[in-house]
Amino acid sequence: MTDNTSALDEKNSPELGGLDDNNVAAVDQGVEVNAAGYKDQLKRQYGLLGIVGIALTVDNAWAALGSSISVSILNGGPPGLIFGLIVAVFWYSFIGMSLAELASSVPTAGGVYHWATIAAGPNWGRTVGFFTGWINFYGWMFDLAALIQITANILVQLYATYHQDTYVPDAWHVYVTYVGVLWLCAFFVIFANKLVPYTQNCGMFFVLVGGIITIIVISAMPSTHASNYFVWGSFKENNLTGWQDGVAFLLGVLNGAFTIGTPDAITHIAEELPQPRRDLPKAMGLQIGLGFLYAFIFAIAIGYAITDLSALQSGINAYPLAVIYQQATGSPAGTFGLLFILFLSSICCCVGTVLTNSRTYWALARDNAVPFSSVFGQVNEGLSCPIYATLFVTVVATGLGAIPLGSSSAFLALTGSFIVLTTVSYIIPFIANMTTGRKHFPPGPFHMGKFGYVINFTAVLLTVLFIILFCFPYEIPTTVEAMNYNSVVLVGTVSLSALWWFIHASRHYPGPKVMQLYIHDDSIIVNDVGIIKTTSAPR
C-alpha cells in the first residue's frame, strides 16, 4: 500500500474489503489494520440485517430443539423439554452478555481465541489464547457434524414419508446423505461466497416465517391434543433415565443448550462487517431472544401434538420429530410439507456453519497456530474465501459424520461435545478478564461497566455446573456403547492441543497480533519477527 491519500480513501470502502474509521485499530508502516492486527482480506459484505440473518439461521433454534429432541425425550418428556429450555436460556443469557461485551470491544474473526489472549495479559496471553482457540474450533467442528447429521436425517425422512411400507432405515443411508450435504455446502461457501449473504437472509425467512407456519399447522391439525398435565406436569413418569428427577432434569438441559448454544457464531464473521462493534451485540441479543421465543412456543406446540410418546423413544440416533409431524398431521403430505420447511432452514444453517468454521480455523492459521499455517492461512481474495481452511474443516467433518455408524448414542456425543467444548472456550476469557481486573479491553458501544464482574462470574459458575453434569452418563445403568464420552472428548482435545503446543507452538507461535494492539505493558519488546520478548518470557 502506498502513502497516497486518494489511494487509501479508495481502499477504505468496506464493500471493497477495505477499512473505515470504525474498523481501523492501528496503522502499521502506512497500512491500516483491523481489530485483529491485519489488513482486511475479506469483503465487509454483511450489514446488520445480514449478520442477524446468519445469527438466526446458524442458531435455527426451533428446528434445533425439535431435531435434537431425542437428547431429552427420556429426561421427563415435554415438561423436561420446556422447562429445560427456560433454564438453558437463563444460563446462556449471561454467556451472551459477556461475549457481546468482548465482541463490542475487539471484533475479530478469532473471537474467544483473541479475547482470551488479550484478557490473560502479556505473560500468559499467548498460551491461554492458543488453547482457547483450539478448544473453540473443536467444539464448532462437533456442532457442524451435528447440524449436517440433522439435515441428512431430514432428507432421509422426506424419502421415507412416501415409502413407509418398503423403506428399511439403515445408518449408512444417513451418512451418504450427510457427505453429500456437507460437500455441497462447502463448495457453495467457496465458489459462491458473494451469494452467502442471500442464503442467510433466506434462512432467516425460513426460520421466522417457516417457524410460524409450522407452529400453526401442528397446533391446528391434530384431531386430538395431549392433556395439560402431559405437557406441563408429567415429568416423573416420563423420566426414563434411571437418575433421580432433579439430576435427570438438569441433564436434559443439554437439549435447550443445543437449541440456543451458538452465541459466538457471528463473532467469527466480525471482519466481514462494516460496523462490527455496534452490530455484533445487537445481533447476538436478537439471536438469543428470538431463538428462545420461537423454540419455547414450538416446544409447547409439539408437546400438545404428541399422541404416543413411546413412538418417540426408539433410540437416541433416531429422528423423532418426523414421528411428531405424522401424529400431528395424520397425512404423508402434511408431514412432507413440514419436513421440507425444516430442510430449507437447515440447509441454510449448514452453509452458515461451514462459513463460521472455516473462518475460525483460518483465524488460527494466519497466526501460525495450526499445522501448515502458510497454506491454511491463505485467502483467495478473488473469491473472498480461505479455500484451504474451508476444505480442511470439510474433510474433518466428513470423518466426524461417520461416528453414528458405530454408536447408538453418537448424536448425543456430537451435541454434548459441542456444548462442553464451546462453553469451556467461553469461560476461559471470562475468568482471565476478571483475574486481570477487566483492564485490557477498551469499552465498546456495549459495555457492562460495574455489572461486568457479576455477569461474568455468574456465567462461569453456571457453565462449570453444567459442564460437570453433561459429563454424567445419559442413563443408568449404562453400557459401553451408550456411555457419555464428553469428558473423554474434552481431555482428548486439550491433550492434542498440548501436544501441538510442545511440538510447534512453544517455539514458533508468536501469538496473535492483538497482543501488540491491546496489551499495554512497558516491559514488552517486539522483535523483528513479531515475537514478544520480555524479561520473563510470555507463556
Side-chain angles (χ1 to χ4, degrees):
M1 182 181 291
T2 67
D3 292 331
N4 187 283
T5 303
S6 61
L8 282 173
D9 291 340
E10 181 180 351
K11 288 187 176 290
N12 278 349
S13 170
E15 291 77 11
L16 297 177
L19 294 160
D20 63 13
D21 290 341
N22 184 67
N23 298 312
V24 176
V27 178
D28 182 11
Q29 298 179 355
V31 177
E32 296 174 324
V33 297
N34 58 30
Y38 290 90
K39 173 185 174 292
D40 268 5
Q41 293 179 282
L42 302 173
K43 293 182 175 63
R44 293 185 178 267
Q45 60 181 347
Y46 298 98
L48 178 60
L49 179 63
I51 200 62
V52 169
I54 293 179
L56 293 176
T57 303
V58 171
D59 187 32
N60 204 11
W62 65 269
L65 178 134
S67 297
S68 61
I69 193 174
S70 60
V71 169
S72 63
I73 199 65
L74 303 179
N75 298 68
L81 181 71
I82 294 169
F83 293 111
L85 174 64
I86 295 173
V87 171
V89 81
F90 175 78
W91 167 28
Y92 268 84
S93 294
F94 291 97
I95 290 177
M97 287 186 287
S98 299
L99 290 174
E101 182 183 44
L102 299 178
S104 182
S105 174
V106 183
T108 79
V112 292
Y113 155 53
H114 284 165
W115 303 332
T117 303
I118 297 168
N123 289 330
W124 288 99
R126 191 170 71 104
T127 305
V128 171
F130 176 87
F131 280 89
T132 303
W134 271 107
I135 292 170
N136 183 254
F137 169 70
Y138 285 128
W140 272 102
M141 287 306 307
F142 281 104
D143 183 55
L144 176 59
L147 293 173
I148 300 290
Q149 174 88 357
I150 287 172
T151 307
N153 264 311
I154 295 170
L155 283 172
V156 171
Q157 291 299 322
L158 283 169
Y159 175 82
T161 298
Y162 279 109
H163 299 83
Q164 294 182 22
D165 296 332
T166 58
Y167 177 67
V168 179
D170 201 308
W172 70 265
H173 299 164
V174 176
Y175 182 64
V176 170
T177 310
Y178 173 104
V179 173
V181 170
L182 173 62
W183 283 92
L184 175 66
C185 293
F187 287 136
F188 190 89
V189 168
I190 292 172
F191 296 109
N193 186 62
K194 292 181 180 180
L195 300 178
V196 171
Y198 300 105
T199 68
Q200 301 309 288
N201 289 339
C202 288
M204 179 169 61
F205 175 82
F206 293 132
V207 168
L208 298 179
V209 178
I212 292 173
I213 293 172
T214 300
I215 290 168
I216 291 174
V217 169
I218 63 176
S219 299
M221 283 195 70
S223 55
T224 59
H225 291 88
S227 67
N228 290 332
Y229 174 77
F230 174 76
V231 176
W232 300 100
S234 63
F235 181 91
K236 185 176 291 289
E237 56 262 44
N238 290 318
N239 172 17
L240 306 180
T241 63
W243 289 105
Q244 293 183 347
D245 289 345
V247 176
F249 172 74
L250 292 174
L251 295 180
V253 172
L254 176 61
N255 177 262
F258 185 72
T259 298
I260 43 90
T262 60
D264 73 311
I266 53 174
T267 66
H268 301 290
I269 321 294
E271 294 172 42
E272 297 170 66
L273 275 69
Q275 302 289 337
R277 289 181 171 86
R278 181 195 66 191
D279 291 346
L280 283 174
K282 292 179 181 178
M284 294 166 77
L286 285 170
Q287 174 187 342
I288 294 176
L290 285 176
F292 168 69
L293 178 64
Y294 269 74
F296 181 68
I297 297 173
F298 183 68
I300 296 172
I302 62 176
Y304 280 105
I306 295 172
T307 58
D308 181 8
L309 186 62
S310 63
L312 312 180
Q313 299 168 339
S314 58
I316 294 172
N317 283 340
Y319 194 71
L321 186 60
V323 180
I324 296 175
Y325 283 171
Q326 290 172 1
Q327 294 179 2
T329 63
S331 72
T335 302
F336 186 93
L338 293 177
L339 285 173
F340 189 70
I341 291 174
L342 196 62
F343 167 73
L344 292 176
S345 65
S346 296
I347 194 69
C348 294
C349 173
C350 292
V351 170
T353 308
V354 170
L355 180 75
T356 295
N357 284 42
S358 66
R359 278 21 176 198
T360 303
Y361 195 71
W362 167 69
L364 288 166
R366 67 179 176 178
D367 291 333
N368 197 29
V370 307
F372 306 105
S373 290
S374 60
V375 175
F376 295 121
Q378 293 179 26
V379 171
N380 184 307
E381 297 195 20
L383 294 174
S384 189
C385 179
I387 294 176
Y388 297 114
T390 305
L391 291 174
F392 176 79
V393 301
T394 307
V395 170
V396 174
T398 301
L400 290 175
I403 296 175
L405 294 174
S407 172
S408 63
S409 61
F411 184 72
L412 264 176
L414 295 176
T415 56
S417 296
F418 160 61
I419 294 300
V420 168
L421 291 172
T422 52
T423 52
V424 167
S425 74
Y426 299 159
I427 65 171
I428 292 174
F430 302 164
I431 294 171
N433 200 23
M434 290 188 291
T435 302
T436 55
R438 290 172 49 87
K439 65 182 181 182
H440 291 301
F441 290 90
F446 179 77
H447 183 63
M448 295 187 292
K450 62 182 180 180
F451 299 105
Y453 279 105
V454 175
I455 293 172
N456 291 163
F457 181 77
T458 305
V460 171
L461 187 66
L462 291 172
T463 300
V464 170
L465 169 66
F466 282 107
I467 287 172
I468 294 171
L469 286 167
F470 292 162
C471 291
F472 282 21
Y474 303 120
E475 55 188 60
I476 52 174
T478 191
T479 63
V480 173
E481 185 183 40
M483 182 62 184
N484 185 342
Y485 291 100
N486 289 340
S487 57
V488 177
V489 171
L490 177 59
V491 173
T493 53
V494 172
S495 298
L496 286 174
S497 302
L499 180 63
W500 182 240
W501 172 265
F502 288 113
I503 292 175
H504 167 82
S506 60
R507 292 171 295 159
H508 305 292
Y509 166 65
K513 292 186 177 182
V514 294
M515 294 183 72
Q516 290 97 57
L517 289 175
Y518 297 99
I519 301 176
H520 304 294
D521 189 307
D522 293 338
S523 67
I524 298 177
I525 303 172
V526 181
N527 67 17
D528 57 357
V529 296
I531 299 178
I532 294 179
K533 299 168 66 177
T534 63
T535 53
S536 62
R539 298 169 177 84

